[in-house]
Amino acid sequence: MAKIRPVSGFPEWLPAQRLAELKILDQLRSAFETYGFAPIETRSIEPLSVLLKKGDDKEIYVLKRLHEPDQDGAQDGAESRNEKNRKNSEEGLGLHFDLTVPFARYVQEFQNELAFPFKRYQIQKVWRGERKQEGRYREFYQCDIDVIGVGQLPLYYDAEFARLLLEVMLKLPIPSICLKINNRKVLQGFYQGLGIQDPSAALRILDKLAKIGEQAVLQQLTDELSLPSATAEQCLRLAKIRGRDLSTLELVRDLGIQNPILEEGLSELEYVMNFNAEFMSSEDSYIEVDFSIARGLDYYTGTVYEGYMLGHEHIGAVCSGGRYDNLCDGGKQKMPGLGVSIGITRVLGYLFGHDLLEVKSASPVKVLVILNDEDGRLAAFNVAQKLRGRGIATDVYHMPQQFGKQMKAAEKRGIPYVCFIMDGSYQIKELATGMQSEVDLEIWQPKAEYLGISILRRF
Amino acid sequence: MAKIRPVSGFPEWLPAQRLAELKILDQLRSAFETYGFAPIETRSIEPLSVLLKKGDDKEIYVLKRLHEPDQDGAQDGAESRNEKNRKNSEEGLGLHFDLTVPFARYVQEFQNELAFPFKRYQIQKVWRGERKQEGRYREFYQCDIDVIGVGQLPLYYDAEFARLLLEVMLKLPIPSICLKINNRKVLQGFYQGLGIQDPSAALRILDKLAKIGEQAVLQQLTDELSLPSATAEQCLRLAKIRGRDLSTLELVRDLGIQNPILEEGLSELEYVMNFNAEFMSSEDSYIEVDFSIARGLDYYTGTVYEGYMLGHEHIGAVCSGGRYDNLCDGGKQKMPGLGVSIGITRVLGYLFGHDLLEVKSASPVKVLVILNDEDGRLAAFNVAQKLRGRGIATDVYHMPQQFGKQMKAAEKRGIPYVCFIMDGSYQIKELATGMQSEVDLEIWQPKAEYLGISILRRF
């Protein structure tokens, strides 16, 4: 037998883990719908022209077809393969690396059939050819909520999204969250006020602060951008300001930089903070302003968010997002958008990998019908069908064996009950207690504690 | 603004259609779990070696990375691209073309952590570089149930799966189904009994009967396989036998071919038919034996299934599957499997495309809170939060406008209620009836008719 190995970066869960993941995805769906978001999915591929416009720092997977259409089933010769690669790269399709860029394209394509502001949620896999590293996957789920408006999109949404995101995550079986917020206009205005000619380049360097440290950031700012060291130090001072009240805004103003875009950014931040006063002062999951948050080269133009699991910050952001005013091209009118994304695969991969989450049952089945003998298959099937018809997940043991062996199999799978067929009557036994009694299949119900999937937290 | 066009073969639904699709996928999930199947997902990619072993007649999409890891963000030069293509094709990853081949690989990889027989369901997208044609997609959902046993897998499952598949599909908002069954052993034994040296080649030609007709099949059998015309005609006679009772088996025996594998296949078919006697004689959705069903070059070794929507047979099979005894390599012991797949994208694409299904609402929202003025945002948000907290999907109108305009927006989206905030009291208006009254937000409930998603059938 060929030994099969996992493919690096492409995680796969066991059934119990998938049950937990599904429960969490269901919680997200339900919360998103309750908050007024409609579901969509976009195709998994986009033309490279769409992907490269806004994602040129991402590792994109490009598709090519193994066979040419007119050579069905034939193996390619070495010579023709290069020619085919050339043709396929002209077609130019790649797997999407996030759900925001495809969403903006979807809205542009279907704008005559949608009602605006269009609020949607989208839960799909995305692909990135990332380097190997804990918490970095090449295939993973993103769970996104976004809104795109026509002409304008009130600042209200920037405030509401921070709150909805935190409320949704509080309900999940995951550690508490610190949601960091900033505003790109603060960074851009501050850099402009300092006379920096290429604010994007400065932003890209400052974004590495957590990874490379203060000295390396200062050096890159002075070496690569030829900034005077006083200017570089001002950038660093800004990046080090963070906190959970309005005084953080005063600390920025105290740095003495005058710029209208900076002021606009600070006043937007103030609105978002005031709206979320409750979470700004919360002791559990909370929001804080952090002027080091920049969201790399992404397409954001205003508010940006990055959320970390408290006590587990080293695995990086588990949710993020922001406002993008120019990603969706509405032609004559602007179509500003705002969105946040939850990286549930990164969270679960970490929690499963460190035994911080456990699911007791590897099966949704509540009752295993014991198979007496080969002739009893139809009777056992009919018992299962009766329970299934009433919505009780039921399975029939696959072959006649000693009852003890069949009961052990049920226990191993986390199935709480077995059902015996005895001369036309039915007995159900609860394995945890050993209690057994004759039942009426038309009315019997499992105990409430056995309904749903129970997830054990170890954090 | 750049005009955006759809990419052929990659369907995308509008929100109302996605709501319908999600409702159907939820029905499938719930039914599969009730029948005792545990959920898994496999990664979307497999090594080409796994895909090609069992899918060499499929159009596989191969992945390559746009950038090499050490040239992050840099555009490839033309010269280095061929070199990179070569390297990437050595890595050899492709998108899966079905869920059965990945499932068999998953079971082989995780066999020490699974309980057998392992029953799983799997609902995921698959990709095929198909030719353009109605009902043919390059990205589509498959909804699969499979079971893999260790050593042996009782014939009972062949019978039960036909029944479960039909029961599940009967509950969906789709036309009635004719599920055709056959057994590969019947075809293989019959061809062997006729002295045909390459039964697979014969099977491949007979599989095209519905597409190319009797004369072309006869000609290919005599030309390509050099069969005597009497032998070719016998093959055709078998392929034309179909029906809903045991007499079909006698018609096969009447053709006078003696072969032990043929007899084994007929007796397996008889077991499956007897188990499903109820559906064999049903007038609505039903099962019939059809000896023309072969399932192409696939990996099946026994029972095979193909389901068609009655009155819409021309779009091809909407569900299919069968028994595969050799797909999963268990080393010293056999790991026979059985599975069926529902092609829900093909079904929905057809039903949506021909206006046979309609969803009234493009939004899950039940209540739209009217925004009185800019200062009223927080009050409106708090009303929404109260209803959301009780599980009622609620949205706030995005900007202060005339009440009439806000109500029209609610109607356009299919939102049944609007809520007015008036001096600390709350009035809710049902748009369909115009009824308006003061409500207590802590106890008010939408009418039952507005819960869930209602799908209108036009078939």
Side-chain angles (χ1 to χ4, degrees):
Chain A
M1 173 181 50
K3 172 78 182 156
I4 295 196
R5 288 170 209 288
V7 178
S8 170
F10 292 85
E12 289 188 321
W13 311 142
L14 290 168
Q17 296 170 326
R18 175 63 182 161
L19 280 168
E21 182 178 60
L22 271 175
K23 181 174 175 168
I24 289 171
L25 295 179
D26 283 345
Q27 284 179 300
L28 290 174
R29 269 177 63 187
S30 162
F32 293 160
E33 294 196 1
T34 304
Y35 290 134
F37 295 86
I40 67 160
E41 285 201 332
T42 57
R43 56 184 190 232
S44 301
I45 57 95
E46 295 290 336
L48 283 179
S49 56
V50 170
L51 295 174
L52 289 173
K53 205 164 56 181
K54 294 293 173 181
D56 54 358
D57 59 337
K58 300 291 190 301
E59 280 282 352
I60 296 170
Y61 280 115
V62 179
L63 295 188
K64 71 183 192 78
R65 286 201 279 161
L66 189 65
H67 305 305
E68 285 291 280
D70 49 17
Q71 293 189 323
D72 218 323
Q75 279 296 348
D76 301 343
E79 202 165 345
S80 64
R81 186 178 290 162
N82 286 338
E83 176 63 13
K84 282 173 196 172
N85 282 337
R86 196 188 56 76
K87 281 183 69 176
N88 276 293
S89 99
E90 280 168 13
E91 284 172 22
L93 297 177
L95 291 171
H96 57 210
F97 57 80
D98 76 358
L99 301 177
T100 313
V101 169
F103 171 58
R105 189 269 311 151
Y106 176 96
V107 167
Q108 205 171 323
E109 186 172 336
F110 295 103
Q111 60 184 300
N112 295 328
E113 288 146 285
L114 301 171
F116 291 93
F118 178 52
K119 287 173 72 174
R120 78 89 177 83
Y121 73 89
Q122 193 170 347
I123 298 178
Q124 276 182 268
K125 286 183 177 150
V126 304
W127 293 267
R128 293 180 194 178
E130 299 269 9
R131 288 187 197 81
K132 292 172 205 177
Q133 182 180 344
E134 192 191 0
R136 289 277 169 190
Y137 293 108
R138 293 177 173 178
E139 173 176 64
F140 54 99
Y141 270 109
Q142 283 201 335
C143 311
D144 285 27
I145 48 174
D146 284 77
V147 56
I148 286 184
V150 167
Q152 57 122 338
L153 186 71
L155 187 60
Y156 165 80
Y157 289 101
D158 299 59
E160 193 194 29
F161 268 53
R163 183 160 177 149
L164 300 186
L165 179 60
L166 217 46
E167 280 188 7
V168 165
M169 295 192 78
L170 268 170
K171 288 183 195 154
L172 302 181
I174 64 172
S176 300
I177 297 292
C178 164
L179 184 67
K180 292 168 177 285
I181 54 171
N182 191 5
N183 192 304
R184 276 277 181 98
K185 290 175 188 167
V186 171
L187 303 179
Q188 194 200 335
F190 191 88
Y191 299 155
Q192 278 184 12
L194 275 169
I196 298 177
Q197 295 197 332
D198 185 353
S200 302
L203 189 144
R204 195 158 50 230
I205 293 170
L206 265 305
D207 194 36
K208 296 187 279 188
L209 179 57
K211 207 182 282 177
I212 65 175
E214 294 184 16
Q215 286 313 312
V217 162
L218 283 176
Q219 192 156 1
Q220 289 190 13
L221 286 172
T222 50
D223 289 3
E224 294 177 20
L225 303 190
S226 310
L227 298 186
S229 68
T231 304
E233 273 161 20
Q234 280 282 62
C235 293
L236 192 60
R237 272 186 211 111
L238 175 67
K240 288 164 74 179
I241 297 173
R242 56 184 241 200
R244 287 155 69 177
D245 58 53
L246 292 171
S247 69
T248 51
L249 307 184
E250 288 318 305
L251 291 174
V252 176
R253 291 191 178 104
D254 288 350
L255 295 177
I257 307 299
Q258 303 286 329
N259 180 281
I261 298 175
L262 168 61
E263 270 312 312
E264 194 180 320
L266 289 173
S267 108
E268 289 184 7
L269 260 181
E270 188 172 346
Y271 178 93
V272 173
M273 289 169 78
N274 282 331
F275 187 94
N276 291 296
E278 188 186 327
F279 277 124
M280 297 299 293
S281 59
S282 156
E283 284 313 304
D284 196 8
S285 281
Y286 60 85
I287 299 176
E288 76 173 12
V289 175
D290 184 331
F291 292 104
S292 74
I293 300 300
R295 301 289 317 134
L297 281 185
D298 284 332
Y299 27 71
Y300 300 113
T301 52
T303 307
V304 285
Y305 316 89
E306 252 182 36
Y308 294 83
M309 294 196 296
L310 288 165
H312 311 273
E313 292 84 354
H314 65 282
I315 68 160
V318 296
C319 57
S320 63
R323 174 179 277 260
Y324 44 90
D325 279 343
N326 309 312
L327 187 56
C328 188
D329 180 0
K332 284 176 215 149
Q333 52 202 356
K334 291 196 87 164
M335 296 186 79
L338 178 81
V340 293
S341 179
I342 301 173
I344 206 68
T345 303
R346 174 180 289 191
V347 173
L348 287 180
Y350 174 76
L351 296 177
F352 289 151
H354 293 77
D355 276 329
L356 297 170
L357 270 194
E358 195 194 333
V359 186
K360 286 280 173 207
S361 177
S363 163
V365 173
K366 304 303 170 199
V367 181
L368 183 70
V369 181
I370 298 295
L371 187 63
N372 295 343
D373 48 41
E374 199 55 53
D375 291 340
R377 284 202 185 269
L378 199 60
F381 172 77
N382 286 331
V383 167
Q385 289 289 92
K386 271 217 180 80
L387 294 171
R388 290 165 174 173
R390 293 177 49 237
I392 300 166
T394 305
D395 207 356
V396 177
Y397 195 71
H398 63 290
M399 57 191 296
Q401 275 184 329
Q402 288 182 334
F403 289 179
K405 206 159 181 186
Q406 298 190 43
M407 281 191 282
K408 249 199 187 122
E411 259 178 335
K412 193 179 160 198
R413 290 168 188 229
I415 300 173
Y417 299 97
V418 293
C419 176
F420 298 96
I421 304 173
M422 311 171 103
D423 304 324
S425 79
Y426 309 101
Q427 301 230 342
I428 284 188
K429 177 176 189 150
E430 184 187 8
L431 292 171
T433 61
M435 295 283 289
Q436 179 173 339
S437 57
E438 191 175 330
V439 298
D440 179 348
L441 295 178
E442 307 292 345
I443 56 166
W444 178 83
Q445 281 289 349
K447 289 184 184 169
E449 67 195 82
Y450 294 126
L451 300 177
I453 303 302
S454 81
I455 300 178
L456 197 69
R457 308 171 187 214
R458 293 214 188 86
F459 49 82
Chain B
M1 172 179 52
K3 171 77 182 157
I4 293 195
R5 288 169 211 288
V7 178
S8 171
F10 292 85
E12 289 188 320
W13 310 143
L14 290 168
Q17 295 170 327
R18 175 63 182 160
L19 281 168
E21 182 178 59
L22 271 175
K23 181 173 176 170
I24 288 170
L25 295 179
D26 283 345
Q27 284 179 301
L28 290 173
R29 270 177 61 187
S30 163
F32 293 160
E33 295 197 359
T34 304
Y35 290 133
F37 294 86
I40 67 158
E41 284 201 333
T42 57
R43 56 184 191 233
S44 302
I45 58 94
E46 295 290 338
L48 282 180
S49 56
V50 169
L51 295 176
L52 288 174
K53 205 165 54 180
K54 294 292 174 183
D56 55 358
D57 60 336
K58 300 289 191 302
E59 281 283 351
I60 296 169
Y61 280 114
V62 179
L63 295 187
K64 69 183 193 79
R65 286 201 279 161
L66 189 64
H67 306 304
E68 285 291 281
D70 50 16
Q71 293 190 322
D72 217 323
Q75 278 298 347
D76 301 343
E79 203 166 344
S80 61
R81 186 177 290 162
N82 287 338
E83 177 62 15
K84 282 173 196 173
N85 283 337
R86 194 188 57 76
K87 282 181 68 175
N88 275 294
S89 100
E90 279 166 14
E91 284 173 23
L93 297 177
L95 292 171
H96 57 208
F97 57 82
D98 77 359
L99 302 176
T100 313
V101 170
F103 171 58
R105 189 268 313 151
Y106 176 97
V107 167
Q108 205 172 322
E109 186 171 336
F110 296 103
Q111 60 184 300
N112 295 329
E113 289 147 284
L114 302 172
F116 290 94
F118 179 51
K119 288 172 71 174
R120 78 90 178 82
Y121 73 89
Q122 193 171 345
I123 298 177
Q124 277 183 266
K125 286 183 179 152
V126 303
W127 294 268
R128 293 181 193 176
E130 299 269 9
R131 289 187 196 80
K132 293 172 203 174
Q133 181 179 345
E134 191 190 1
R136 290 277 170 189
Y137 293 108
R138 293 177 172 179
E139 173 176 64
F140 53 98
Y141 270 110
Q142 283 202 334
C143 310
D144 284 27
I145 49 176
D146 283 77
V147 57
I148 286 184
V150 168
Q152 56 122 334
L153 186 71
L155 187 61
Y156 166 79
Y157 288 101
D158 300 60
E160 193 195 28
F161 268 52
R163 184 163 176 145
L164 299 186
L165 179 59
L166 216 46
E167 280 188 8
V168 165
M169 295 193 79
L170 268 169
K171 287 182 194 151
L172 302 181
I174 64 172
S176 300
I177 298 290
C178 163
L179 183 66
K180 291 167 178 286
I181 55 171
N182 191 6
N183 191 303
R184 275 278 181 99
K185 291 174 187 168
V186 171
L187 303 180
Q188 194 200 336
F190 190 88
Y191 299 155
Q192 279 184 11
L194 274 170
I196 297 176
Q197 296 198 333
D198 185 353
S200 302
L203 190 143
R204 196 159 49 231
I205 293 170
L206 265 305
D207 194 36
K208 296 187 277 187
L209 179 57
K211 209 183 279 177
I212 64 175
E214 295 183 15
Q215 285 314 311
V217 163
L218 283 177
Q219 191 156 3
Q220 290 189 13
L221 287 172
T222 50
D223 290 1
E224 294 176 20
L225 303 191
S226 310
L227 298 187
S229 67
T231 304
E233 272 159 22
Q234 280 283 59
C235 293
L236 193 60
R237 271 186 213 110
L238 175 67
K240 287 163 76 178
I241 296 173
R242 56 185 243 201
R244 288 154 69 176
D245 57 54
L246 291 172
S247 68
T248 51
L249 308 183
E250 289 318 307
L251 291 175
V252 175
R253 292 192 178 104
D254 289 349
L255 294 177
I257 308 300
Q258 305 285 331
N259 180 281
I261 299 174
L262 168 61
E263 269 312 312
E264 193 179 323
L266 289 174
S267 109
E268 289 184 9
L269 261 181
E270 189 173 343
Y271 179 92
V272 173
M273 288 170 78
N274 282 331
F275 188 94
N276 291 296
E278 187 185 327
F279 278 123
M280 298 299 293
S281 59
S282 156
E283 285 312 304
D284 196 7
S285 282
Y286 60 85
I287 299 177
E288 76 172 12
V289 175
D290 183 332
F291 291 103
S292 74
I293 300 300
R295 302 288 319 133
L297 280 186
D298 284 333
Y299 27 71
Y300 300 112
T301 52
T303 307
V304 286
Y305 316 89
E306 253 181 35
Y308 294 83
M309 294 196 296
L310 289 166
H312 311 273
E313 292 83 355
H314 65 282
I315 69 161
V318 297
C319 57
S320 63
R323 175 179 276 258
Y324 43 91
D325 279 344
N326 309 311
L327 188 56
C328 187
D329 180 0
K332 284 175 216 149
Q333 53 202 356
K334 291 198 86 168
M335 296 186 80
L338 178 81
V340 292
S341 179
I342 301 174
I344 206 68
T345 304
R346 175 180 288 190
V347 174
L348 287 179
Y350 174 76
L351 296 177
F352 289 152
H354 293 77
D355 276 330
L356 297 171
L357 270 193
E358 195 194 332
V359 186
K360 285 283 174 206
S361 176
S363 165
V365 174
K366 304 303 172 199
V367 182
L368 183 70
V369 181
I370 298 295
L371 187 64
N372 294 342
D373 49 40
E374 200 55 53
D375 291 340
R377 284 203 185 269
L378 199 59
F381 172 76
N382 286 331
V383 167
Q385 289 290 91
K386 271 215 180 83
L387 294 171
R388 290 166 174 172
R390 295 178 47 236
I392 300 166
T394 305
D395 207 357
V396 177
Y397 195 70
H398 64 290
M399 59 190 296
Q401 274 183 331
Q402 287 182 333
F403 288 1
K405 206 160 179 184
Q406 299 190 44
M407 283 191 281
K408 249 199 187 122
E411 258 178 335
K412 192 179 161 195
R413 288 168 189 231
I415 300 173
Y417 299 97
V418 294
C419 175
F420 298 96
I421 304 173
M422 310 172 105
D423 304 323
S425 80
Y426 310 101
Q427 301 231 342
I428 284 187
K429 178 176 188 150
E430 184 187 8
L431 291 171
T433 61
M435 294 284 289
Q436 181 173 338
S437 57
E438 192 173 332
V439 298
D440 180 347
L441 294 178
E442 308 291 346
I443 57 166
W444 177 83
Q445 281 289 349
K447 289 183 183 170
E449 67 194 83
Y450 294 126
L451 300 177
I453 303 302
S454 80
I455 299 178
L456 196 68
R457 307 172 187 212
R458 293 215 188 85
F459 49 82

